[in-house]
Amino acid sequence: MDANIRVAELDAARGAGWIAEAFKLFRKAPLPWIALCSAWIVITLALILVPLVGQAMSSFLQPVFFASFAIAAYKQAAGERVLMADLFAGFRRNLRALVNLGVLILVAVLAIVFAAGLLGLPVSGPVGESATFDEWVNSFRGKEWLLAGTIFAIVLVKSAVWFAPPLIAFHGMGAIEAIRWSLYATIANFGTMIVYGALLFAIFFLAAIPAWLGLIVAFPVMAISTYTGYREVFEAKP
């Protein structure tokens, strides 16, 4: 690992601080951030609809977009304007490593789902003309623990690589090196990540209540927090 990079070990309460700081940046430029996140969602959904390769392409590019969010937040924190072009900033910052990160994340998630399927979890949708969605949902009865374990494992993978996109974008790291640093930072700040993740979950849950309208705030705050968390963990003054 690079000896020039330091990982700060923070109090658990700082997880709330990351979200608070992200919200402050959002309040200063709400419309640009709403536009950025809306465009990201539209592009992601459009890619998913592409036959055969769409879902894979969407997964490969997610770290690129999250690097773009971090770059946009960095620019805003430095006093610059947030622009629509910032959504594609990650495509100009170590693109190959970011795509490789997306590939590795997808492989890890598929491995988890495959293992869960071997243990008996219904991982495919309704099969056959007579199969209904309700019947598929009912097939999970008695396997709730396996479903919960699968979701938990996927969340752990996502958490372990949470800092990887900005590390690749700002430090020029390869995918594997960024994953190692991100994993180390996640372990060193486990309590902080728990608080941060719990608050993000609560924000999205509450945002969905008023006809999903709160998501126009929840998504930008999440996107910006990828930078505010990275900044405090990796750019803290010694």
Side-chain angles (χ1 to χ4, degrees):
M1 289 187 178
D2 191 343
N4 295 321
I5 298 179
R6 297 178 181 272
V7 172
E9 297 184 17
L10 309 173
D11 293 334
R14 286 309 304 157
W18 299 351
I19 292 176
E21 291 170 13
F23 184 69
K24 288 179 182 178
L25 289 174
F26 170 72
R27 286 181 59 189
K28 292 178 181 178
L31 293 181
W33 276 109
I34 291 172
L36 278 182
C37 290
S38 298
W40 162 57
I41 293 170
V42 169
I43 292 171
T44 298
L45 292 177
L47 285 173
I48 291 173
L49 294 176
V50 176
L52 300 177
V53 298
Q55 292 189 7
M57 288 176 58
S58 173
S59 298
F60 296 165
L61 292 179
Q62 290 314 300
V64 184
F65 287 122
F66 273 79
S68 298
F69 293 144
I71 294 167
Y74 169 80
K75 286 178 54 183
Q76 185 185 4
E80 299 182 41
R81 293 174 57 194
V82 178
L83 306 173
M84 277 301 298
D86 292 333
L87 181 62
F88 306 102
F91 288 85
R92 300 186 294 273
R93 293 280 192 98
N94 207 356
L95 176 61
R96 178 177 293 182
L98 288 167
V99 172
N100 287 343
L101 175 63
V103 172
L104 292 173
I105 293 172
L106 179 60
V107 169
V109 170
L110 289 177
I112 292 169
V113 173
F114 180 74
L118 291 178
L119 293 173
L121 185 70
V123 294
S124 61
V127 178
E129 296 182 0
S130 60
T132 66
F133 180 76
D134 288 339
E135 290 173 342
W136 179 66
V137 171
N138 289 334
S139 68
F140 286 94
R141 288 185 178 178
K143 300 174 182 176
E144 293 84 356
W145 63 272
L146 186 53
L147 176 61
T150 302
I151 294 172
F152 181 70
I154 292 174
V155 169
L156 284 181
V157 168
K158 300 286 188 178
S159 300
V161 301
W162 188 250
F163 298 111
L167 285 169
I168 291 172
F170 293 131
H171 296 274
M173 292 183 181
I176 299 298
E177 184 183 8
I179 290 172
R180 291 204 308 264
W181 274 108
S182 181
L183 177 59
Y184 174 64
T186 299
I187 294 172
N189 293 279
F190 188 73
T192 316
M193 293 295 290
I194 291 292
V195 171
Y196 170 68
L199 287 175
L200 270 185
F201 177 83
I203 288 170
F204 273 86
F205 178 80
L206 294 174
I209 293 177
W212 306 94
L213 294 177
L215 294 178
I216 64 173
V217 175
F219 275 114
V221 168
M222 178 199 67
I224 299 169
S225 71
T226 61
Y227 171 71
T228 57
Y230 155 82
R231 178 179 62 184
E232 190 159 316
V233 172
F234 287 97
E235 296 186 0
K237 295 180 180 180

